[in-house]
Amino acid sequence: MARRAAPEVNAGSMADIAFLLLIFFLVTTTIEVDSGIVSKLPPEVDEQTPPPPVKKKNIFQVLVNKDNQLLVEEELMELKDLTDAAVAFIDNGGGEGKSGCAYCEGERSPESSDNPKKAIVSLVNDRQATYNYYITVTNELVRAYTILRNRAATQRYGETYESMYARYKDTQEADKETPEYLE
């Protein structure tokens, strides 16, 4: 009896199919990119230009130690009190003359900030402090500015800063969607 030869599978085009599938999945897959936290970093320090003069009373110092404790203006403070302390500092309006603030509603203490435009919030973190706590402290400081912006916008325009900003963002998105030939 004659033996039949076993049929062979032609695998020559198998590599082509695998390569096409690989290209297909590479092209159609989206890779998410972490955008991180948007914040404005200070400009690079120019060694030749001296820094502008800043009064010590215009600096609001916030320190976070390795045990996640807040030291605000060299005193321990609870996280829940940070926003109110920052608002009180920024909105103090303790300056006189041109450095004063006509619209500030603060105590006008001469030991605190002269003007919101001159107020500097300095946040220093210990390397061993948790990142989560750093973000929480940053959010509390941003909330202080948001409170002041909302108050000023409501007094001047009758609506909150947040609603005006949301409307602005909507118009920016709408402008991006408009084709160039229609502009």
Side-chain angles (χ1 to χ4, degrees):
M1 244 201 235
R3 285 190 116 185
R4 279 192 192 175
E8 293 184 15
V9 176
N10 183 4
S13 62
M14 212 47 123
D16 294 338
I17 293 171
F19 183 67
L20 288 174
L21 284 173
L22 178 67
I23 291 174
F24 172 78
F25 286 115
L26 285 174
V27 170
T28 58
T29 302
T30 57
I31 299 172
E32 292 187 29
V33 178
D34 290 336
S35 60
I37 298 173
V38 178
S39 64
K40 185 177 179 182
L41 296 176
E44 288 187 33
V45 177
D46 183 13
E47 300 296 328
Q48 298 172 354
T49 307
V54 176
K55 294 179 185 176
K56 186 173 181 177
K57 71 177 193 171
N58 286 330
I59 300 174
F60 186 67
Q61 293 182 340
V62 180
L63 303 170
V64 179
N65 69 10
K66 66 179 181 175
D67 299 324
N68 290 336
Q69 294 175 326
L70 281 178
L71 191 65
V72 178
E73 297 291 310
E74 300 178 2
E75 293 181 16
L76 279 174
M77 182 179 286
E78 294 291 322
L79 182 63
K80 62 182 173 61
D81 301 327
L82 180 61
T83 301
D84 293 334
V87 167
F89 173 80
I90 297 165
D91 194 41
N92 180 51
E96 296 177 9
K98 290 184 178 180
S99 66
C101 175
Y103 57 87
C104 291
E105 298 177 9
E107 297 176 8
R108 303 202 183 277
S109 169
E111 287 84 35
S112 192
S113 73
D114 290 337
N115 191 320
K117 293 178 182 176
K118 294 185 178 188
I120 298 171
V121 177
S122 170
L123 173 59
V124 178
N125 243 25
D126 189 275
R127 287 181 181 256
Q128 294 175 343
T130 63
Y131 188 70
N132 190 27
Y133 197 73
Y134 165 74
I135 296 299
T136 305
V137 170
T138 304
N139 286 343
E140 293 297 316
L141 294 172
V142 169
R143 183 179 297 147
Y145 277 99
T146 303
I147 289 169
L148 293 171
R149 285 180 182 134
N150 281 336
R151 186 175 71 199
T154 303
Q155 289 172 351
R156 291 183 188 171
Y157 308 112
E159 66 177 304
T160 65
Y161 170 79
E162 291 172 323
S163 65
M164 289 190 296
Y165 186 73
R167 191 173 61 243
Y168 168 77
K169 291 292 276 184
D170 290 344
T171 59
Q172 294 297 315
E173 292 299 320
D175 289 345
K176 287 181 182 176
E177 294 173 4
T178 305
E180 287 182 30
Y181 62 87
L182 293 177
E183 293 179 345

